[in-house]
Amino acid sequence: MRIVIQRVQHASVTISGRQKSAIQKGYLILLGIEEADGMEDVEWLCHKVAGLRVFEDENGVMNRSIIEEKGEVLVVSQFTLMASYKKGNRPSYIRAARHETAIPLYEAFCQRLEELVGRPVGTGEFGADMKVELLNDGPVTICMDSKNKE
């Protein structure tokens, strides 16, 4: 399971011209899921996200978590994070999980993160053509992979 976390001033996702979710200050998280992922990946990543200290404290040091900041979260599924680009110029998505695996894990990720941060989590729509808009703050962008915990 891979995520890209972007600290944002605001972010939104629009599907077929209609805004599905929008947040103010917080995280936009792009989530990629592979067939080998499970609930242990969800749990590990959600705890890392909830505890990540990338918001500035009163001294201007990145020392506050999303929980302390009372920030908002928007999670968008993105199978292209699982792209393999080693052979040729056309990415392969063979590692990306099929819907029957990915959808329950996406929903579990959103629900668990909601529990940990104590706020509703905005979502996109799995498999939809989404337009994501954001204002990256910093910019602060962090990539995490549950298969690379060391």
Side-chain angles (χ1 to χ4, degrees), residues 103-114:
I103 291 172
L105 287 174
Y106 171 74
E107 291 171 350
F109 182 91
C110 295
Q111 180 181 355
R112 185 63 178 129
L113 197 53
E114 195 169 283

Side-chain angles (χ1 to χ4, degrees), residues 19-143:
Q19 189 175 79
K20 166 83 165 71
S21 296
I23 63 166
Q24 292 302 310
K25 187 176 186 176
Y27 291 149
L28 168 65
I29 299 175
L30 305 175
L31 172 64
I33 301 168
E34 66 179 338
E35 279 298 323
D37 290 330
M39 286 306 296
E40 62 280 353
D41 300 285
V42 168
E43 198 65 32
W44 185 82
L45 277 173
C46 286
H47 277 278
K48 291 302 271 187
V49 169
L52 190 64
R53 300 185 321 177
V54 295
F55 291 94
E56 294 178 359
D57 64 15
E58 59 281 351
N59 298 315
V61 176
M62 288 196 296
N63 201 27
R64 294 171 52 90
S65 71
I66 189 82
I67 297 167
E68 294 166 308
E69 194 64 24
K70 295 183 175 46
E72 297 181 286
V73 179
L74 173 58
V75 180
V76 176
S77 63
Q78 190 168 8
F79 75 93
T80 60
L81 287 177
M82 305 317 293
S84 174
Y85 46 83
K86 294 184 181 194
K87 184 178 177 186
N89 291 320
R90 177 186 235 160
S92 168
Y93 303 106
I94 198 160
R95 287 183 50 209
R98 291 171 296 181
H99 282 75
E100 50 275 4
T101 300
I103 291 172
L105 287 174
Y106 171 74
E107 291 171 350
F109 182 91
C110 295
Q111 180 181 355
R112 185 63 178 129
L113 197 53
E114 195 169 283
E115 292 167 3
L116 291 171
V117 300
R119 299 181 65 113
V121 167
T123 62
E125 183 179 309
F126 196 93
D129 180 18
M130 297 176 276
K131 307 302 180 210
V132 179
E133 192 172 331
L134 68 136
L135 179 59
N136 197 317
D137 182 19
V140 174
T141 303
I142 297 173
C143 301

